[in-house]
Amino acid sequence: EEYRKLPVKFQGSCEFAPQYMSVKGVQLEPDSVLVYGEPSALESLTDIATEPLFLTDLNANEHGSVQLEHTSGLRLSCREVEYRVNVSRYVTSVVDMEVGVKGLPEGKSISVFPSSVQATVNFIFPLRIGKDTVSLAYVDYADFEKSRSGKCILRTASLPEGVLSVEFDTDIVDCVAE
C-alpha cells in the first residue's frame, strides 16, 4: 500500500443574497489529505472531492464541515473537512481605467486600443477607499510578443484592499508596436 497527498476540491455551489458576494471563495481546512491505497488506484487521482454542498441566500459568513467522497479501495487521512465562506456586502460602481503596459523593455513602445476601458468594480460596503484609486488595467508585454494578431487579454494587478472584483467591458484590446 502506498499514499499520495492530494488537494481537496470543493464540489457544490454558493448563491448569495442580493448585494452580497464571497470575499475569497470557499476555503477548506485541511486543503489536502493523504490518500492510501494500491499504486494503480492512486495514480489516476488528481484530487479528492467533497460531498456536494449547496449554500443559498448567503448574507453572512458561513462555516461548517463537509464529508469527503468515499472512493472504494482507498483510505483517507480524514473523512471530513471544515469549510468557510467569508461573505461581504458590496456596492457596485463603474470606473474608467487607463490601460497600461507591464514589462515594457526599455526602448520599446506599443500603443493600446482602446487606451481606456470601463470596468464594473465591486467594493466592500461601506466604501472605505476612493473609487479613483482603482486603476488596475494593463497588458503584459510578454503576451504582446507571443500574439500573432496583436490582440491581448486585459489583466488586473492584485486588487487593493476593499475591492472584491473587477469586470472589464471588454476583455481583449489591440496592441500595435510603434
Side-chain angles (χ1 to χ4, degrees):
E1 185 174 75
E2 292 185 7
Y3 72 92
R4 284 180 61 196
K5 186 175 185 176
L6 294 175
V8 177
K9 181 177 118 185
F10 177 74
Q11 185 173 252
S13 66
C14 297
E15 294 178 8
F16 299 91
Q19 293 300 116
Y20 287 88
M21 66 185 294
S22 171
V23 175
K24 294 183 181 177
V26 178
Q27 297 172 297
L28 301 172
E29 182 64 37
D31 63 356
S32 58
V33 293
L34 296 176
V35 183
Y36 300 88
E38 294 298 319
S40 58
L42 291 174
E43 70 184 30
S44 65
L45 295 176
T46 58
D47 55 49
I48 297 296
T50 64
E51 291 286 335
L53 178 65
F54 301 97
L55 304 170
T56 59
D57 203 34
L58 295 175
N59 62 7
N61 293 343
E62 179 78 23
H63 62 89
S65 60
V66 61
Q67 296 288 316
L68 297 174
E69 283 192 339
H70 177 67
T71 305
S72 181
L74 298 176
R75 288 186 304 113
L76 304 175
S77 59
C78 60
R79 294 195 175 276
E80 67 181 24
V81 295
E82 300 296 315
Y83 70 87
R84 177 167 200 78
V85 182
N86 290 328
V87 177
S88 178
R89 189 166 180 199
Y90 69 90
V91 60
T92 300
S93 183
V94 176
V95 177
D96 288 319
M97 295 184 188
E98 296 294 318
V99 179
V101 179
K102 188 174 182 181
L104 188 64
E106 194 172 315
K108 298 278 185 175
S109 178
I110 65 173
S111 294
V112 180
F113 302 99
S115 60
S116 65
V117 294
Q118 280 194 334
T120 303
V121 182
N122 290 329
F123 294 92
I124 290 177
F125 180 82
L127 196 59
R128 294 185 182 123
I129 62 173
K131 296 174 187 175
D132 57 341
T133 62
V134 183
S135 57
L136 308 163
Y138 74 89
V139 171
D140 192 326
Y141 185 77
D143 291 345
F144 171 70
E145 282 189 313
K146 295 175 191 172
S147 170
R148 292 179 187 220
S149 65
K151 294 192 181 299
C152 296
I153 296 174
L154 274 178
R155 300 187 183 277
T156 59
S158 59
L159 299 177
E161 193 170 324
V163 176
L164 294 171
S165 67
V166 175
E167 186 177 318
F168 297 113
D169 62 349
T170 181
D171 290 329
I172 297 180
V173 293
D174 292 309
C175 299
V176 179
E178 293 179 348

